[in-house]
Amino acid sequence: MRTLPPIVAALLVSVAPLAAEARRALMPEDWYRFQAASDLQIAPDGAAVAYLVTSYDKSSDESRAALWAADWAGGHNEQLTHGESVSVPRFSHDGRYLSFLSARPSGADKQLWLLDRHGGEPRQITHVNGEITSYAWSPDGTHIVLVMHGVENAPEPESKAGKSAETSEPRKAGKAAKPLVLDALQFKQDEEGYLTAESRSHLYLLDVRSGTFEPLGFDAQRADSLPAFSPDGPEIAYVSRRVEGEPVEVGIDEIYLLATSPGAKPRRLLKTWTPNHQHLQWSPDGRQIAFLIGDEPKFNAYILDDLAVVEVASGHVRDLTNKLDRAVVSPVFTSDGRAIQFAIEDDGFQYPAQVVLATGTITHLVDSTVVSELASAAGHTAVLATSNESAVEVYALEAGKLRPLSAHNRALLDEIALGTVEDIAFTSHDGTAIHGQIVKPSDFVQGHRYPTILWIHGGPNGQDQHELALEGYGPPLERQLFATHGYVVLAVNYRGSTGRGAAFARSILADWGHKEVEDLLAGVDYAVAKGIADPGRLAVGGWSYGGLLTDYVMASDTRFRAAISGAGSGNQLTTYGTDEYIVEYNAEIGAPWRNPALWIQLSYPFFHAERIRTPTLFLGGDKDFNVPIAGGEQMYQALRTLGIPTELVVYPGEYHVLTRPSFLVDRSARYLAWMEKYLGAAP
């Protein structure tokens, strides 16, 4: 055993504490250094993975996604694309090519590009005038099914000639604006905008060699998506939704089969309630298709996706997780077709598991982790996973353990004195058991009371879990932002959250702002009773449904000295017809003219704004169709009218989830400044 010289050993001992002390707080400007991994793919031979890494560029003030690859052995990571952002990476079935969508050069139409893994620059293989949103490779690599909308003369076959990049830009520049004609029940969607007939997606079969493409199963009254080729290639399974017709038909997925031969007619395989995230995958032998089952529209906000398989020949459906009572995510067949792997959302975690098709037996593959995506091929399974200390990275799943294949955020996070995350459990006002987490500063001193922030997750379909997420509007990054600046943060999985079963999630059906608020306030009482929270320095905040609940909490309890309500609403009556949730509203609450008393009851933060005493910061994007900025504007006006200190921050050009780097930095800085202003500096 090698022995260090005494002087070196003494030096290391003296330096170690200094290194720990040198760790710092998470700063708003750190957004420019974070990198978010997503869209995981695995090569058919299992020897490599590909994924996207989104970075936040300060000079261009843009969020950009680049394509990366890592070999399975873990010895090599490589960035494959530079410059313009890319999306939807896919391996060809022979593994030679990686394809992706990108608008290159900047300002051009988004097209499909091909990168030869043997070397060379990406080459453009489509020249279409519509917008490609997704695609799927045929097993022999000769064709690709494109999911597109906005294609001119959609029913007619298109040729490569006349659809070149040179002709598309002048046509687009000279195109006159036209009125938007809307004829569907749900007529708007965040980021997508107003949903016209031209915005409905349809399938097109692209000949890779010639560049020509033709429509598949085109029906102007339907929207088609998620194509998946059968293993031997003659058929495509896809999801189709009727967007015209009776309201009762909304919220239903129809899965169709379609031969790729000319003139083939679609055959409906089954109908199912639309899940949160539909996913189709053929079994390796082509006899079954895995898919996800949702729930009837009145439970839209509380869906726990079930995993099922359907026999292609008979149409017989078998629900594999109906007794699990937990949501499943990202299902993939194992290479031998005997099992399906997926992630289970469960009480603060989201761990990988698998179900054996022959027996229905479900086993956990790894515990105590949060996995968001799985990919499997040739006996290898890769995942995207995160924890309290690590942002989302790529891992190999082997023998019940996760082996890292990427470390894009390790250097940055090694600088940060991250807060410690602990599970908590307590009872609500009516005795219901409530779970969650508490995040304490890294230098937390037992017996000292801290300014405490109740930070509320969105959804309500979702949960606070042991993760360090960078994207979306979940709270984990905000939790650490506050904790590293000396605040204690409460993360409560109130009733309505997932992870505790369907009954727990549905318990707030048509009763928003009641049981959730009781649970949240019980969490604050718990932290005060434990001697952790300073009862004189409490704050509350959140984004999306977390913003709504912030409004509800403020109107229910005046002890909070500061509040942050992001993309929220206190007047639900005015959201009817102005946001994207018309199906849920009609099914869960009923139309306002049929149930006006309930709508007013659910809007009590606005109609009882005189109860509010809390200085509040309201924020949102001006293009948000998920929770329109009007929700924050109305509450801002109410509090200004009442003389309550308040500010309204509108981020121009942003949707429900902010993406512009300077705005992400700005929002984080405002969060910290608002809390310091009204709670005082944290110790």
Side-chain angles (χ1 to χ4, degrees):
M1 181 176 180
R2 186 179 179 186
T3 303
L4 293 172
I7 189 170
V8 176
L11 183 61
L12 290 176
V13 171
S14 65
V15 169
L18 294 177
E21 292 175 6
R23 293 201 173 201
R24 59 177 178 83
L26 184 63
M27 301 302 295
E29 293 77 14
D30 287 326
W31 269 108
Y32 293 126
R33 294 179 60 191
F34 275 125
Q35 298 185 70
S38 64
D39 295 86
L40 178 65
Q41 305 292 313
I42 191 166
D45 61 3
V49 295
Y51 56 99
L52 298 183
V53 176
T54 299
S55 57
Y56 305 90
D57 185 65
K58 186 173 183 178
S59 60
S60 64
D61 201 16
E62 293 181 348
S63 301
R64 291 179 177 171
L67 180 61
W68 282 70
D71 63 67
W72 185 257
H76 182 65
N77 279 63
E78 181 182 6
Q79 183 175 346
L80 302 179
T81 64
H82 298 80
E84 287 81 8
S85 192
V86 307
S87 62
V88 197
R90 297 288 186 270
F91 282 98
S92 60
H93 281 266
D94 61 5
R96 177 175 177 178
Y97 299 101
L98 267 169
S99 53
F100 57 86
L101 299 178
S102 185
R104 297 168 170 242
S106 180
D109 292 332
K110 185 183 292 185
Q111 303 289 345
L112 183 61
W113 293 73
L114 205 60
L115 181 64
D116 192 327
R117 296 177 65 200
H118 293 167
E121 293 297 314
R123 62 183 178 89
Q124 183 178 341
I125 62 169
T126 63
H127 300 77
V128 300
N129 62 8
E131 182 176 351
I132 308 172
T133 59
S134 187
Y135 62 94
W137 281 87
S138 67
D140 62 5
T142 62
H143 291 82
I144 295 175
V145 171
L146 305 174
V147 182
M148 291 195 294
H149 61 78
V151 180
E152 294 182 351
N153 303 318
E156 299 297 326
E158 301 284 3
S159 65
K160 186 173 181 179
K163 300 300 176 187
S164 66
E166 290 76 20
T167 60
S168 63
E169 191 61 32
R171 175 193 59 77
K172 188 167 62 174
K175 194 173 183 180
K178 296 180 180 179
L180 301 178
V181 180
L182 308 169
D183 57 0
L185 176 65
Q186 183 178 347
F187 66 92
K188 61 199 310 186
Q189 186 79 30
D190 194 41
E191 298 190 36
E192 295 183 30
Y194 288 101
L195 304 179
T196 65
E198 289 74 23
S199 67
R200 296 169 193 162
S201 59
H202 302 285
L203 306 184
Y204 298 82
L205 187 64
L206 171 75
D207 185 299
V208 174
R209 178 169 295 182
S210 69
T212 60
F213 68 100
E214 59 182 271
L216 290 174
F218 186 92
D219 185 338
Q221 295 184 342
R222 308 187 72 88
D224 304 324
S225 62
L226 300 176
F229 275 95
S230 60
D232 53 0
E235 281 190 305
I236 299 167
Y238 65 96
V239 175
S240 184
R241 297 174 185 169
R242 179 171 291 279
V243 292
E244 295 182 2
E246 297 300 319
V248 72
E249 296 177 344
V250 179
I252 294 176
D253 280 357
E254 295 180 282
I255 298 178
Y256 279 80
L257 294 176
L258 177 65
T260 56
S261 55
K265 300 296 183 183
R267 173 174 72 90
R268 191 175 73 187
L269 186 60
L270 63 89
K271 293 174 67 172
T272 185
W273 294 116
T274 301
N276 291 307
H277 304 288
Q278 187 57 276
H279 181 86
L280 302 184
Q281 188 182 36
W282 291 77
S283 61
D285 62 9
R287 296 179 179 180
Q288 299 183 90
I289 297 173
F291 68 102
L292 295 172
I293 299 174
D295 213 329
E296 56 184 299
K298 72 176 181 179
F299 298 127
N300 262 13
Y302 322 105
I303 292 174
L304 309 183
D305 293 355
D306 269 8
L307 172 63
V309 290
V310 57
E311 292 180 354
V312 174
S314 67
H316 174 70
V317 171
R318 184 158 62 108
D319 191 329
L320 300 174
T321 61
N322 59 327
K323 296 181 180 179
L324 183 63
D325 198 26
R326 293 292 186 271
V328 302
V329 179
S330 192
V332 292
F333 272 98
T334 55
S335 301
D336 59 14
R338 295 178 180 178
I340 299 177
Q341 297 177 336
F342 51 90
I344 298 176
E345 184 185 44
D346 184 29
D347 202 10
F349 295 96
Q350 192 161 288
Y351 49 79
Q354 76 174 21
V355 57
V356 177
L357 271 66
T359 64
T361 302
I362 297 174
T363 56
H364 299 182
L365 301 178
V366 178
D367 289 324
S368 302
T369 189
V370 174
V371 167
S372 55
E373 296 182 28
L374 295 90
S376 182
H380 289 171
T381 297
V383 302
L384 292 181
T386 176
S387 67
N388 295 326
E389 300 83 21
S390 172
V392 176
E393 299 284 359
V394 184
Y395 295 83
L397 173 56
E398 295 176 322
K401 295 182 180 180
L402 296 181
R403 175 170 57 85
L405 296 178
S406 75
H408 293 283
N409 296 282
R410 181 181 297 166
L412 171 60
L413 293 176
D414 281 347
E415 300 175 12
I416 310 300
L418 292 173
T420 58
V421 183
E422 302 171 8
D423 285 318
I424 57 175
F426 51 89
T427 57
S428 191
H429 175 73
D430 61 358
T432 301
I434 304 299
H435 301 168
Q437 297 105 47
I438 189 168
V439 188
K440 299 175 180 177
S442 61
D443 57 355
F444 178 83
V445 177
Q446 192 69 36
H448 183 86
R449 289 190 180 271
Y450 286 76
T452 298
I453 302 169
L454 172 64
W455 197 256
I456 310 170
H457 74 74
N461 192 291
Q463 64 170 352
D464 278 308
Q465 51 194 15
H466 291 272
E467 64 177 332
L468 185 60
L470 305 182
E471 293 186 314
Y473 46 91
L477 188 62
E478 286 82 1
R479 298 187 331 198
Q480 289 291 352
L481 177 71
F482 293 129
T484 61
H485 283 265
Y487 300 99
V488 164
V489 184
L490 280 172
V492 175
N493 282 320
Y494 51 85
R495 275 171 285 185
S497 305
T498 49
R500 296 276 304 280
F504 189 87
R506 296 175 182 176
S507 62
I508 66 168
L509 183 76
D511 188 23
W512 309 341
H514 172 205
K515 295 174 183 176
E516 312 101 291
V517 171
E518 290 182 352
D519 300 344
L520 293 165
L521 295 179
V524 175
D525 294 339
Y526 165 87
V528 171
K530 287 290 185 180
I532 299 171
D534 183 345
R537 291 199 290 172
L538 299 174
V540 60
W543 195 270
S544 191
Y545 199 74
L548 270 76
L549 286 179
T550 296
D551 295 345
Y552 283 124
V553 167
M554 289 191 301
S556 304
D557 194 316
T558 59
R559 58 178 153 165
F560 296 95
R561 292 180 57 178
I564 296 173
S565 180
S569 170
N571 183 2
Q572 314 322 332
L573 184 61
T574 57
T575 63
Y576 189 92
T578 64
D579 66 16
E580 60 187 35
Y581 294 108
I582 188 63
V583 175
E584 174 189 327
Y585 293 152
N586 284 344
E588 181 178 352
I589 307 173
W593 55 91
R594 292 178 179 151
N595 212 349
L598 179 56
W599 279 93
I600 295 295
Q601 175 187 321
L602 299 182
S603 303
Y604 74 78
F606 182 76
F607 288 102
H608 294 285
E610 75 281 356
R611 301 173 180 173
I612 299 175
R613 300 288 183 271
T614 307
T616 306
L617 174 65
F618 295 98
L619 312 94
D622 70 346
K623 287 189 174 183
D624 188 348
F625 276 179
N626 189 313
V627 186
I629 188 64
E633 291 172 339
Q634 287 186 314
M635 290 301 296
Y636 166 78
Q637 289 282 223
L639 268 60
R640 290 292 294 178
T641 298
L642 291 165
I644 306 297
T646 185
E647 286 183 9
L648 172 66
V649 180
V650 180
Y651 292 103
E654 293 290 88
Y655 302 104
H656 193 59
V657 177
L658 305 188
T659 59
R660 184 178 290 272
S662 64
F663 289 166
L664 294 168
V665 172
D666 177 89
R667 181 176 64 177
S668 297
R670 292 182 187 277
Y671 283 175
L672 291 174
W674 194 260
M675 292 304 178
E676 183 172 349
K677 180 177 181 179
Y678 290 101
L679 292 190

